[in-house]
Amino acid sequence: MKFFKKVSLPMQIVIALILGVIVGSILHGNKDVINYIQPFGDIFLNLIKMIVVPIVFCSLAISISNVGDTKTIGRYGGKTLLYFIFMTTFAIALGLIFGNLFKPGSGLNADLLPKGDISKYESTAKSAEGSTYGNHLIDTVVNIVPTNIFEALSSGELLPIIFFSVFFGLALAAIGEKAKPVKDFLGGALEAVFWMIGKVLLLAPIAVFAFISTTIITFGISALIPLFKLCLTVVIAMFFFIFIVLGIVSRLCGVKIVSIMKLLKNELMLAFSTASSEAVLPTVMRKMERFGVPRDIASFVLPTGYSFNLDGAAMYQSIAALFVAQLYGVHLSIGEQIILMITLMLTSKGMAGVPGASIVVLLTTLGSVGLNPQGLALIIGVDRILEMLRTCVNVLGNSVASVVIAKSEGVYDKKRGEEYLKGQA
């Protein structure tokens, strides 16, 4: 036990990953065991979700109250949304380019591929069918304003919480000295919650083991073999996006993407293992603040990005759509692919909290270009594995976005970031 305590948390997570793969391979197919392992991962995620909402609310309300200028807040919001729309659209277009280049679905016999069940996603997709294109965008905007803030807090809906937090922060700024007791309370609550997240993260290796082992037990490593082309295409596209696209964007801000990856190595490993961006949101916000991004920008951009800037998911969805088309021998013209790109960009907004969101988005989208949604059943077997990778891209994309917005405002503290990075080494 003393030896285990001496091992650093990142190394504990690596050990948990390796053990999870070994145990999962040994127990592959024995799904009854999952009932005993999965709860450890679920408890960890529940602990994280319990803390995410108070962190977002407290940090955003305090930050906005300190800025106190509605014009400045509006400028943040406008720049952030424009950047998110551009990057999401670019990610989808890039996915289509890689899908056309590598043609992952061509040459595969659909009858030989592992079948999946899409029935559990269809009910969610049907409820979203009437919300495609402009309607979905309008619904998303309308739902940003909560009818009951306590209901939004209890359900963990980030966009309504962000809206209320910003509004509440502006109110605190407007009443001046009278807001001091409230701000002191929120500041103390924020420090207490950060202490809690530090303790919760000590359980990360257990959660990593639970999620990895159950994934391997359910699908097996062999599930990757018949869909190797799809997996390879997605992996290449993701790495291209990280090191070339995000690399160039971060370079323009005077930061290296490798530096951000080094800064967030623990969070990326945890995001990969759990396939959950929420699991790392609190610590990513804290680290980006210490990396030189002001708290008001980090606490606004990062949570908002969870609904509006899922670059990894957007790229994966475009590749998966082309995979289904190629699988059935359907040729999509450039015009149809442009329609697909626009549709994916709109339908993906605001669906971050939906279970199996990528599959649901694709189900509501494939009909727009006449594709058979049953083709998605073929990739559900590896969807969880690919979701782990695209979650890492989502986390990195939003972290870079916070630096971009801070840099555009002229408030990014590069020197502080470099000093903090040296201290982390």
Side-chain angles (χ1 to χ4, degrees), residues 156-266:
E157 297 175 41
L158 282 182
L159 286 180
I161 292 168
I162 290 168
F163 176 86
F164 181 81
S165 302
V166 171
F167 206 1
F168 189 71
L170 289 171
L172 291 177
I175 63 175
E177 196 63 30
K178 293 178 183 178
K180 191 176 185 304
V182 180
K183 289 167 71 173
D184 289 342
F185 170 77
L186 291 176
L190 187 62
E191 290 304 315
V193 173
F194 272 124
W195 180 89
M196 291 170 67
I197 197 69
K199 298 302 178 186
V200 171
L201 286 176
L202 296 176
L203 302 175
I206 298 172
V208 166
F209 172 82
F211 280 112
I212 290 295
S213 59
T214 52
T215 298
I216 301 298
I217 289 169
T218 305
F219 304 119
I221 297 175
S222 60
L224 286 172
I225 297 172
L227 296 171
F228 181 72
K229 286 177 71 176
L230 172 64
C231 295
L232 187 62
T233 303
V234 171
V235 169
I236 292 172
M238 296 290 180
F239 274 89
F240 182 89
F241 187 81
I242 290 171
F243 291 104
I244 305 301
V245 179
L246 293 182
I248 291 172
V249 172
S250 55
R251 254 300 189 202
L252 291 173
C253 297
V255 180
K256 293 179 181 178
I257 189 63
V258 177
S259 298
I260 297 178
M261 291 174 72
K262 191 183 296 182
L263 174 77
L264 301 176
K265 59 182 183 294
N266 295 358

Side-chain angles (χ1 to χ4, degrees), residues 75-378:
R75 194 169 65 244
Y76 286 175
K79 284 181 179 180
T80 301
L81 291 177
L82 279 175
Y83 176 82
F84 285 170
I85 290 170
F86 174 79
M87 288 303 287
T88 302
T89 306
F90 189 83
I92 294 170
L94 198 60
L96 291 174
I97 290 171
F98 275 93
N100 283 299
L101 193 64
F102 290 95
K103 300 187 184 302
S106 60
L108 293 177
N109 186 339
D111 296 328
L112 298 178
L113 292 171
K115 299 290 181 182
D117 181 16
I118 64 170
S119 59
K120 64 179 180 180
Y121 302 102
E122 287 178 331
S123 58
T124 309
K126 283 178 182 176
S127 66
E129 274 179 1
S131 299
T132 53
Y133 301 108
N135 287 338
H136 180 78
L137 192 60
I138 291 169
D139 290 343
T140 302
V141 172
V142 170
N143 291 331
I144 287 174
V145 183
T147 55
N148 186 333
I149 184 56
F150 296 104
E151 186 181 330
L153 288 168
S154 64
S155 61
E157 297 175 41
L158 282 182
L159 286 180
I161 292 168
I162 290 168
F163 176 86
F164 181 81
S165 302
V166 171
F167 206 1
F168 189 71
L170 289 171
L172 291 177
I175 63 175
E177 196 63 30
K178 293 178 183 178
K180 191 176 185 304
V182 180
K183 289 167 71 173
D184 289 342
F185 170 77
L186 291 176
L190 187 62
E191 290 304 315
V193 173
F194 272 124
W195 180 89
M196 291 170 67
I197 197 69
K199 298 302 178 186
V200 171
L201 286 176
L202 296 176
L203 302 175
I206 298 172
V208 166
F209 172 82
F211 280 112
I212 290 295
S213 59
T214 52
T215 298
I216 301 298
I217 289 169
T218 305
F219 304 119
I221 297 175
S222 60
L224 286 172
I225 297 172
L227 296 171
F228 181 72
K229 286 177 71 176
L230 172 64
C231 295
L232 187 62
T233 303
V234 171
V235 169
I236 292 172
M238 296 290 180
F239 274 89
F240 182 89
F241 187 81
I242 290 171
F243 291 104
I244 305 301
V245 179
L246 293 182
I248 291 172
V249 172
S250 55
R251 254 300 189 202
L252 291 173
C253 297
V255 180
K256 293 179 181 178
I257 189 63
V258 177
S259 298
I260 297 178
M261 291 174 72
K262 191 183 296 182
L263 174 77
L264 301 176
K265 59 182 183 294
N266 295 358
E267 287 71 24
L268 291 173
M269 203 174 296
L270 187 57
F272 177 82
S273 307
T274 61
S276 170
S277 301
E278 267 190 351
V280 296
L281 175 59
T283 50
V284 170
M285 285 171 60
R286 190 71 173 250
K287 281 193 173 181
M288 292 313 296
E289 183 185 341
R290 291 172 176 172
F291 192 61
V293 177
R295 177 179 287 184
D296 55 312
I297 291 179
S299 56
F300 177 80
V301 174
L302 289 165
T304 307
Y306 278 61
S307 290
F308 286 100
N309 190 44
L310 301 172
D311 298 328
M315 193 185 308
Y316 166 75
Q317 287 157 8
S318 59
I319 294 173
L322 279 186
F323 173 81
V324 173
Q326 293 160 2
L327 197 64
Y328 289 106
V330 177
H331 173 72
L332 296 179
S333 65
I334 293 177
E336 287 172 322
Q337 290 191 38
I338 290 173
I339 292 173
L340 179 65
M341 180 175 71
I342 294 170
T343 309
L344 279 173
M345 195 273 289
L346 294 173
T347 54
S348 62
K349 302 304 179 191
M351 272 196 162
V354 178
S358 287
I359 300 296
V360 173
V361 168
L362 283 165
L363 275 171
T364 60
T365 303
L366 292 182
S368 65
V369 286
L371 294 176
N372 181 6
Q374 284 299 318
L376 292 176
L378 305 172

